[in-house]
Amino acid sequence: MPSHPMPEFGWFSLLLALGLSCYTFVFGSVALWRTRRRVGVAVDDGSGRLGETARRAGIASFIVLSCAAFALVWAAFTNDYSVSYILHHTNRALNPAYKFAALWSGQEGSLLLWAWLLSMYGFVLRVRHKVDVRLSAFASTILAGIQIFFLLLLNFAAPPFSIQPGPVAADGFGLNPLLQYPEMVMHPPLLYLGYVGFSVPFAFALGALMMRYPGEKWIHITRRWTMVTWLFLTCGIFMGAHWAYSVLGWGGYWGWDPVENASLMPWLTGTAFLHSVMMQEKRGMMKNWNVWLIFSTFMLTILGTLLTRSGIVSSVHAFAQSDIGNWFYGFIIVIFAVCLFTFFKNRDHLKSENRLESLVSRESSFLFNNLILLVACFTVLWGTLFPILSEYVQGSKVTMGAPFYNRVNIPIGVFLLFLTGIGPMLAWRSTSLRSMRRSFVLPVVAMVVALVTMLSVGLRPWNAGDDARATWFSLITFTLAAGVITAIAAEFLRGAAVVRTQTGKNLAASTVLLVRRNTRRYGGYLVHFGIVVLFIGIAGGAFNQSSEQEMGYRDQMTLGPFRLVCQSFTQDSNPNYDTEYALLDVYKYGKKITQLAPERRFYKASQTSSTIVALHSTLESDLYVIYEGRNPDTDKPIIKVFINPLMNWIWIGVLIVVLGTLLALVPNMARSAARARAELEPPVAEVHHV
C-alpha cells in the first residue's frame, strides 16, 4: 500500500481537530455547570482552570484545521491525484489561482472551508474573551458544538482526503468551467464568511439567554460581529450576482435560483435583526423578537448549506445528489430543539421594558421594516421549498419561477424603499405634526419634481402595453428614490449646519466632523443611500432590450442606438481549452465606440463548454454580447445582444453600502478620545470569573 504523507497529515489534522472541539465542548460545558454564584462572590472549585483549558483547546483547533486546509491546497498545487477530491476538481493546466479555489469547488472542500472559517471566528472570540469572560465562555462552548457537527461530516460523511483506488491518474478531470473566473476566487469565501459568521451572534444570543444575561451588553458585544458578518454576506451575494451576470450568459444577474435564494434568506433576517436590536438598545423592546431573529438567521444559514449539498433542489450552484442531507436535517432539528427549550425555560427574562407609544415613531418604522423583511423571507422560503413539498404531496415537482417571486417581492421592495426614507426622519416614542412637516416638505417636493420629469420624458406606464406593470414599479421607484435621497441629504446638511454654527468651520469640514461624532448613525444613512442607488439600478431592468441573429463577415445587427458589425470569427486553442470567438465593431449613433470579442470555450479536461460575455459598460447602460455557437447549416456565429439600462448603478449602490457599513464600524470621535485617555492612565487590576 503506497504512502501518501500529505493526505495522511490532513486526515490526522481533522481527527485531532474533532478531538479538540469535543474537549472544548464537553469540558467547557462542565466548567460552566460547576460555576456557582453565592452572594455575588464566585466560588472557584477548579472550574476556572478547566474552562481555561477548554478555551485553549478551541484556539488549538483553529491551528490544526489550518493545517488540514493547507494539506488540501498543497495537494492541489502538487497535482496529487492520489487524492480523489484533487483528481475530480483540478488538472495540470489549471491556473494557480483556480487551483487554490479548488478548496471550495467541491462538496468536501467547501465543508472544510466552513469548518476552518468557523474555527477562525472561534479563535478571534476566544482570544478576545476578556470583553466578558463568562458570556464568551458560553459562546465558545456553543461554537464548539457547531464545530463538532462539521468535523463529524469531514471525518465520516464527506472526507476530503479519500485516496483514489487503483493507479494514480496522469491528470485530473479539471475544475468546473463556470468556476474558472476571477470572481469565483472571492465569491465563495465571502459568502462563507457571511454564512459562518452568523454562528457568533447566534452563540452569544443563545449563551446570553442560557445564563439570563442582565442588561443589553451582549448586543453591544455582538453588534460588530453581526455587522461584519452581514457585510461579508452582502459582498458575497452581489459578487455572485455579478458572476452570474458576467459568466452565465443569459443577460441577467438574479434568477431566483434556489441556492441564490438560500443566501438571500439569512441576509433578510440578518438585516431585520440589525434594525430591531436598535429598539432593544434604545427602548428595551422586542427582546423575544430579536432572539428569534438571530436564531432563525443561523438556522437559515444551515438550511442554505443543506440546499447546496443535498441535491434536493435543482440549481446551477448546487453540488451533486448526496445523502449528506440527512446529517443536516438532524442538525437543524437539534438546533431548533435547543433554541426552543432555552427560550421557554428563560422567556420571563425577555420581558419588554416599554411598549409602542405611537404609530408615527421610529419604533413603528422599525417594526414595519421587520415585518416586511420577514414577509419577503417567507415568500422566498415558500417558493424555494414548494417543489419539495409538491413532490411529497402529489408526487411531482412544481417549480416556482421568477414571475412568482417578482409578483410578490417587487411591491415589498418598493415599500421597503419607502421605509428607508421615512424611518430615520421619525423621532423615538412619538413624532409631532410640526416635526413631520419640517422633515417631509423637501422630500415631497423632490418626489413631485421627479414624477413630473419622468412623465415629461415619456415614462408613461399606461402606454407601455405588456410592460405596464414593470413600468409602473419603475416610475414609483424613481419617484420614491428622489424623495429618500433628498431626505438623507437634508439630514446631513441639517446636522452640518448645527456643527458649523458651533465651530465656525466651512460646510465640508462641518460635515466631516458631524460624521466623526456619530459614525454609526451617518454610516447607516450612507448604507440607506446605497440601497436607494441599488434600487434605481434594479428599476432600469424594466427597459431591457434584446435581439439575436446569425452574423457572418460584414453582417450587421441594430438594437436601440447600437449597431454591431462582424469583422471576423475564428478559433484558437491552449492547453486548458479551445475557443471560438467573433470580433464585432460597435457603433453608437453612427460613431464607432469599441470592439467586442464574445467567445465560447470548450474545456478539454472536463469536456464541457462555457460562454465568455463581451461587455461595454457605461453609467447609462450595458451592451451585453454573447457568442452562442455556430449554426451547423451555415457555419455562421449566432450572436445575442442585450441592452441593460442603469445596470452599473446596482454595483455602485453595493459599493456605497460597503463604505457605509465600514463607516458605521468606525468608533465615534468621542469614544476614540476616551479610549486614548484610558490607554494613558495607569492600568487597574481586573478580576475575571469563568
Side-chain angles (χ1 to χ4, degrees), residues 252-513:
Y253 53 89
W254 190 267
W256 297 107
D257 179 273
V259 175
E260 292 174 350
N261 296 346
S263 65
L264 180 63
M265 288 185 287
W267 185 89
L268 290 168
T269 54
T271 304
F273 176 73
L274 280 171
H275 283 83
S276 64
V277 289
M278 296 184 202
M279 291 181 67
Q280 187 169 340
E281 286 181 288
K282 297 280 187 181
R283 305 272 288 129
M285 298 170 64
M286 297 182 72
K287 295 182 180 181
N288 290 302
W289 187 274
N290 288 334
V291 162
W292 276 106
L293 272 178
I294 196 61
F295 287 174
S296 301
T297 301
F298 175 69
M299 285 187 280
L300 285 170
T301 64
I302 301 300
L303 176 65
T305 311
L306 161 68
L307 292 175
T308 311
R309 280 153 189 80
S310 63
I312 60 174
V313 294
S314 177
S315 167
V316 69
H317 306 274
F319 297 107
Q321 184 79 30
S322 168
D323 60 1
I324 202 173
N326 295 327
W327 290 70
F328 280 95
Y329 294 135
F331 188 48
I332 291 174
I333 291 170
V334 169
I335 294 168
F336 182 70
V338 169
C339 291
L340 200 63
F341 173 79
T342 306
F343 173 76
F344 279 108
K345 185 174 183 292
N346 300 286
R347 61 179 174 174
D348 60 309
H349 178 65
L350 298 173
K351 290 181 179 177
S352 293
E353 298 163 15
N354 294 287
R355 294 184 179 277
L356 186 66
E357 298 178 16
S358 171
L359 284 176
V360 187
S361 63
R362 189 167 297 187
E363 292 95 322
S364 67
S365 74
F366 282 149
L367 181 60
F368 283 125
N369 179 282
N370 270 233
L371 290 172
I372 291 298
L373 285 168
L374 290 182
V375 168
C377 182
F378 178 77
T379 302
V380 175
L381 179 63
W382 176 256
T384 303
L385 297 182
F386 190 80
I388 305 166
L389 298 174
S390 64
E391 185 178 33
Y392 179 77
V393 173
Q394 61 188 37
S396 60
K397 283 190 176 182
V398 179
T399 303
M400 293 293 195
F404 163 76
Y405 294 103
N406 291 335
R407 190 163 50 249
V408 178
N409 284 309
I410 288 177
I412 287 174
V414 171
F415 188 58
L416 279 173
L417 180 61
F418 170 72
L419 290 177
T420 297
I422 198 174
M425 294 190 291
L426 299 176
W428 293 102
R429 297 176 181 269
S430 180
T431 306
S432 68
L433 186 61
R434 181 181 177 185
S435 174
M436 287 182 61
R437 194 183 303 123
R438 185 180 68 247
S439 299
F440 285 92
V441 168
L442 280 177
V444 170
V445 170
M447 289 169 62
V448 171
V449 171
L451 179 60
V452 171
T453 303
M454 293 296 106
L455 294 175
S456 65
V457 298
L459 186 57
R460 298 170 185 173
W462 51 87
N463 294 332
D466 294 339
D467 297 327
R469 187 173 184 271
T471 308
W472 269 115
F473 281 118
S474 292
L475 179 64
I476 295 169
T477 299
F478 293 142
T479 303
L480 284 175
V484 176
I485 290 172
T486 303
I488 293 171
E491 284 294 309
F492 275 91
L493 292 173
R494 192 177 295 121
V498 173
V499 174
R500 185 179 185 181
T501 302
Q502 294 171 346
T503 63
K505 296 178 180 290
N506 61 43
L507 189 62
S510 298
T511 303
V512 171
L513 185 57

Side-chain angles (χ1 to χ4, degrees), residues 58 138 167 191 238 352 418 420 518 582:
F138 267 93
L191 202 61
F238 282 98
S352 293
F418 170 72
T420 297
N518 197 336

Side-chain angles (χ1 to χ4, degrees), residues 50-244:
L50 188 63
E52 178 62 16
T53 62
R55 184 182 75 87
R56 293 185 180 186
I59 291 173
S61 68
F62 166 67
I63 298 170
V64 173
L65 270 168
S66 298
C67 292
F70 172 77
L72 195 63
V73 173
W74 180 268
F77 274 92
T78 56
N79 302 313
D80 187 353
Y81 300 124
S82 66
V83 180
S84 179
Y85 181 83
I86 302 302
L87 174 68
H88 286 88
H89 296 285
T90 68
N91 64 294
R92 293 184 184 276
L94 195 62
N95 184 293
Y98 301 136
K99 285 191 176 183
F100 183 77
L103 174 61
W104 50 80
S105 61
Q107 180 162 270
E108 298 85 351
S110 65
L111 288 171
L112 177 55
L113 178 66
W114 222 108
W116 180 71
L117 290 175
L118 182 59
S119 72
M120 181 183 70
Y121 277 116
F123 173 82
V124 176
L125 183 151
R126 291 164 184 133
V127 167
R128 300 186 70 252
H129 72 293
K130 290 187 178 180
V131 293
D132 190 304
V133 174
R134 195 157 191 266
L135 179 58
S136 294
F138 267 93
S140 171
T141 304
I142 292 165
L143 284 183
I146 301 168
Q147 187 82 58
I148 288 170
F149 168 72
F150 283 95
L151 287 169
L152 286 171
L153 284 176
L154 287 166
N155 279 284
F156 303 108
F161 295 101
S162 295
I163 301 301
Q164 183 73 13
V168 177
D171 202 358
F173 300 153
L175 185 66
N176 185 333
L178 294 176
L179 304 180
Q180 296 187 40
Y181 191 78
E183 280 176 324
M184 291 309 289
V185 180
M186 298 177 287
H187 160 62
L190 286 171
L191 202 61
Y192 275 77
L193 281 165
Y195 264 24
V196 179
F198 275 118
S199 305
V200 178
F202 165 78
F204 272 111
L206 184 59
L209 189 56
M210 285 178 171
M211 64 184 287
R212 301 174 69 87
Y213 193 85
E216 318 303 337
K217 186 182 175 183
W218 76 269
I219 289 178
H220 301 304
I221 292 172
T222 58
R223 174 181 163 264
R224 286 176 177 273
W225 285 102
T226 309
M227 288 184 67
V228 168
T229 295
W230 181 87
L231 178 60
F232 280 135
L233 186 58
T234 302
C235 292
I237 288 171
F238 282 98
M239 191 166 284
H242 193 268
W243 166 79

